Amino acid sequence: MAPAEDGPEPRAAQVDDPPPFVKGIKGRKDMHVPKAVWRQHRPRAPRAADHVEGTGSKGGPTSARVINGVLRSLEELAIACPRNLKRWGLASEDEYFEHVRRRDVAKAALDATLRDPSVTADDKHDAAASFSMNHGPAAFNCRRCWLLRGCCVCRMLASLPPRALGPHRIAVYLHHHEFGRGSSTGGLVAACLGGDAYVAGLRRDEEALRELFEREDGRVAVLWPGRGAVCVGDLPGVGEEKEKNTHTRGKLHSDLGDDGDDDDTAGDGRGRGWTFIAIDGTWKNARNMLKRLPEDRVVLVSLPPEALRFVRDAAAGIGAIDGASLLAPVRKYAGAPEGRTSTFEACVALLRALGVDEETCKAQLENVKIKVDAVKVQKSMAPVYEKVTGEGDFET
């Protein structure tokens, strides 16, 4: 048997060496490793030159600290992390906590208003709608695309060509909980179709809506797939305008003067357009919102089956599953009737019913795909339609 080879001689212990590290054993108190000994064997990484005291290596908080004279907890500071501040479009924690302070003051004022028996129901509704719009979940959202300001996709949205609707107009009547909501398509009506947005219960919008009813004098139609609704094509002037759009292509309407105003000299109203209002809210809220509209000044209209079929077929052709709504990946449709369609998809079906060409309508449906993907990405989820693939696609 060969003799064993001698190994290298062990290094002599130095004075500055840490004590030998003894691995602790679970349940053995006598085997506890003091923190000072553990830290000697595992020293902290050196701090970066721009390190902020009270934050970790990735910028997150490590302890509570005072901001604007208020001691903020670790949980509050974690919400205002650099990543969230960037997505909200805020420059600093101070700006976020100033918003929190204003929100708390406004919430206390709202609670006092709602508890006051002398305040009318309309005033309470106005206060609740105003608070939701300014201090609710959409407080940091872009006012056009309704996504977080750091996740804005306004530059990616396609607008409807000018005068594509002829003499007609489209508006949206919103529940205040839908205003600014990322998964709502009501905002696309204003952003892409050039329509006006009215928030239910908000005093200034309700007054503007009443002025609209008085000004249009019976030529306001509400999209509603219920009983008592007439088909869009049966409205006076709509059938003729659709035929004109189909055959003339470039000339959308001949009843408008050079200045773009309606020419109604015949007195029969055939040269005037209709204002179509889409209601944006849950089905329960939409039914209550419909009751707020004057029955003698609006007409309930339904969309023709071929227009709805076009939207479903087009949606299926550009990525929707089994003809479902393009919005389905980010929105549930509890209590909706068969053939679920988002508010903006219903407006695109209306465009088709009014004679707008298929390519223009399909281009508008692409806006829904962009919004769905942006909502997914801003929630750190995988996109569905690959229109927005990462945060690099957002405006900065």
Side-chain angles (χ1 to χ4, degrees):
M1 181 176 179
E5 297 182 359
D6 295 335
E9 295 183 0
R11 184 179 66 89
Q14 302 296 324
V15 177
D16 295 335
D17 286 350
F21 183 80
V22 180
K23 185 177 180 180
I25 300 176
K26 188 176 181 180
R28 290 276 303 276
K29 294 184 179 180
D30 59 321
M31 298 297 292
H32 173 73
V33 179
K35 184 176 181 180
V37 175
W38 187 89
R39 181 56 66 194
Q40 282 183 307
H41 287 271
R42 292 177 174 82
R44 295 182 184 274
R47 297 291 191 184
D50 57 349
H51 173 72
V52 178
E53 191 64 30
T55 61
S57 59
K58 296 184 178 180
T62 57
S63 60
R65 65 178 182 271
V66 176
I67 296 181
N68 293 337
V70 179
L71 180 62
R72 298 296 179 179
S73 67
L74 189 62
E75 182 180 2
E76 291 176 307
L77 294 172
I79 295 175
C81 65
R83 182 169 179 266
N84 286 343
L85 292 176
K86 180 180 178 182
R87 289 190 171 188
W88 294 335
L90 301 179
S92 63
E93 293 175 335
D94 293 355
E95 188 176 354
Y96 168 73
F97 285 113
E98 176 61 22
H99 163 78
V100 172
R101 185 193 65 79
R102 293 196 304 266
R103 181 195 63 194
D104 293 343
V105 172
K107 183 62 168 62
L110 174 64
D111 291 341
T113 299
L114 297 179
R115 289 194 300 265
D116 190 346
S118 64
V119 179
T120 64
D122 289 342
D123 289 341
K124 291 181 178 180
H125 198 168
D126 175 72
S130 179
F131 176 84
S132 179
M133 293 171 61
N134 296 307
H135 303 284
F140 302 128
N141 287 9
C142 171
R143 293 294 173 166
R144 186 169 181 264
C145 66
W146 290 2
L147 293 161
L148 292 175
R149 290 196 288 261
C151 303
C152 179
V153 293
C154 288
R155 64 177 176 82
M156 302 177 65
L157 299 177
S159 299
L160 190 69
R163 301 166 71 91
L165 282 172
H168 308 299
R169 292 169 296 277
I170 298 180
V172 60
Y173 189 41
L174 299 155
H175 192 274
H176 62 266
H177 286 164
E178 295 293 329
F179 179 86
R181 187 174 181 178
S183 61
S184 172
T185 59
L188 294 178
V189 176
C192 303
L193 305 184
D196 295 323
Y198 304 94
V199 178
L202 194 65
R203 184 179 293 106
R204 65 171 183 269
D205 285 358
E206 293 286 1
E207 292 175 354
L209 203 56
R210 283 193 293 269
E211 293 176 0
L212 172 67
F213 295 145
E214 295 174 0
R215 183 173 65 252
E216 296 300 326
D217 191 21
R219 295 185 73 84
V220 178
V222 177
L223 299 182
W224 190 257
R227 296 180 180 179
V230 300
C231 185
V232 170
D234 296 335
L235 294 177
V238 171
E240 296 86 341
E241 191 66 33
K242 177 180 178 181
E243 191 72 19
K244 192 183 303 179
N245 288 346
T246 303
H247 288 86
T248 61
R249 294 292 180 182
K251 186 179 179 182
L252 293 174
H253 52 285
S254 61
D255 292 327
L256 294 181
D258 295 337
D259 58 354
D261 294 332
D262 293 347
D263 183 10
D264 195 19
T265 56
D268 57 2
R270 287 179 297 177
R272 295 174 55 197
W274 284 81
T275 298
F276 295 94
I277 297 179
I279 298 180
D280 190 26
T282 64
W283 279 101
K284 179 180 179 180
N285 290 334
R287 294 185 185 96
N288 293 331
M289 292 163 64
L290 182 64
K291 297 176 183 178
R292 299 176 62 90
L293 303 179
E295 296 182 0
D296 58 335
R297 290 187 177 272
V298 299
V299 180
L300 301 184
V301 295
S302 61
L303 297 169
E306 57 270 18
L308 292 171
R309 192 178 308 113
F310 163 79
V311 170
R312 295 195 187 102
D313 293 344
I318 59 177
I321 302 174
D322 298 331
S325 169
L326 288 169
L327 195 65
V330 295
R331 194 70 182 265
K332 296 180 180 179
Y333 290 94
E338 293 298 327
R340 299 167 180 176
T341 305
S342 68
T343 300
F344 190 74
E345 287 173 308
C347 290
V348 173
L350 174 63
L351 296 181
R352 188 69 191 124
L354 295 176
V356 178
D357 62 276
E358 294 185 1
E359 293 303 318
T360 299
C361 293
K362 289 181 180 179
Q364 290 302 308
L365 290 176
E366 293 289 329
N367 293 328
V368 182
K369 296 170 61 177
I370 292 172
K371 185 157 191 179
V372 168
D373 278 354
V375 171
K376 286 285 190 178
V377 171
Q378 79 175 10
K379 292 183 177 181
S380 301
M381 301 171 67
V384 178
Y385 304 113
E386 301 297 331
K387 305 297 288 187
V388 178
T389 57
E391 295 189 9
D393 295 331
F394 297 136
E395 293 184 19
T396 56

